[in-house]
Amino acid sequence: TAMGALMRQYWIPALMSSELPKPDGPPVRVRVLGENLVAFRVTSGKVGLIQSNCPHRGASLFFGRNEEEGLRCVYHGWKFDCEGACVDMPSEPEESTFKSRVRARAYPCLERNDIVWTYMGSRSTPPPLPDIEPNLLAQGEYANQKVLRECNWFQALEGDIDTGHLSF
């Protein structure tokens, strides 16, 4: 949608850091702007956010093994890093370069103040993460909460800005 295309041009909070508590832990399903994705934290602590299905045969990467800096599909063992590059393809001979031509759709992530932000837009270089107050506070000076609302995000924002709506 037009609003979805606009929203993708900005950093979006995708999940809380506590939802990916430890490196090499199990992947987490995430739905952002109507897109089903899988989030995972690799060995080094970096967060990856990639398409929910393997580009090879469509197996769910939610069931993938998170190991040694990548998420391995349990169907044929193809392994993807946080940028979506295929870094291992066990069924191919060592000299094969096929894996270098395979990519999963992935979105860059940044973590600040216990929130994992993602940029889903088309720019090759994302804009800077916004310097809004919650991103600038020191540890212990902020509190995050996550609320599931069964509604359109933009309509919810519009309704919440006018505090007169809250009492009704």
Side-chain angles (χ1 to χ4, degrees), residues 3 7 147-166:
M3 183 51 73
M7 294 294 296
V147 177
L148 177 62
R149 296 174 69 178
E150 298 283 343
C151 62
N152 175 290
W153 183 90
F154 189 69
Q155 290 170 333
L157 175 67
E158 183 180 30
D160 290 352
I161 287 175
D162 183 348
T163 56
H165 294 152
L166 297 176

Side-chain angles (χ1 to χ4, degrees), residues 13 18 23-24 59 67 96 110 116 127 155 158:
S18 60
D24 296 328
E67 58 187 29
S96 172
L110 289 175
V116 176
Q155 290 170 333
E158 183 180 30

Side-chain angles (χ1 to χ4, degrees), residues 37-82:
L37 304 165
V38 174
F40 58 102
R41 187 182 299 278
V42 294
T43 310
S44 63
K46 185 176 179 179
V47 174
L49 186 65
I50 65 174
Q51 67 186 60
S52 62
N53 297 90
C54 181
H56 178 220
R57 301 285 291 176
S60 175
L61 291 172
F62 171 71
F63 299 108
R65 290 194 316 256
N66 186 2
E67 58 187 29
E68 300 170 3
E69 295 300 307
L71 189 61
R72 187 177 298 280
C73 178
V74 295
Y75 195 39
H76 286 103
W78 291 17
K79 183 176 168 182
F80 299 92
D81 66 11
C82 291

Side-chain angles (χ1 to χ4, degrees), residues 62-165:
F62 171 71
F63 299 108
R65 290 194 316 256
N66 186 2
E67 58 187 29
E68 300 170 3
E69 295 300 307
L71 189 61
R72 187 177 298 280
C73 178
V74 295
Y75 195 39
H76 286 103
W78 291 17
K79 183 176 168 182
F80 299 92
D81 66 11
C82 291
E83 287 75 36
C86 185
V87 294
D88 189 28
M89 202 176 272
S91 57
E92 285 289 305
E94 275 297 315
E95 65 277 2
S96 172
T97 60
F98 183 53
K99 71 179 177 187
S100 66
R101 297 189 304 269
V102 175
R103 294 195 65 80
R105 187 176 54 260
Y107 297 109
C109 293
L110 289 175
E111 242 177 317
R112 190 178 292 170
N113 289 357
D114 302 325
I115 296 175
V116 176
W117 296 80
T118 188
Y119 175 74
M120 300 173 74
S122 57
R123 300 181 207 179
S124 57
T125 302
L129 192 64
D131 285 335
I132 56 177
E133 187 177 9
N135 281 338
L136 299 174
L137 297 173
Q139 185 72 28
E141 293 181 3
Y142 60 87
N144 297 327
Q145 72 176 22
K146 183 176 179 177
V147 177
L148 177 62
R149 296 174 69 178
E150 298 283 343
C151 62
N152 175 290
W153 183 90
F154 189 69
Q155 290 170 333
L157 175 67
E158 183 180 30
D160 290 352
I161 287 175
D162 183 348
T163 56
H165 294 152

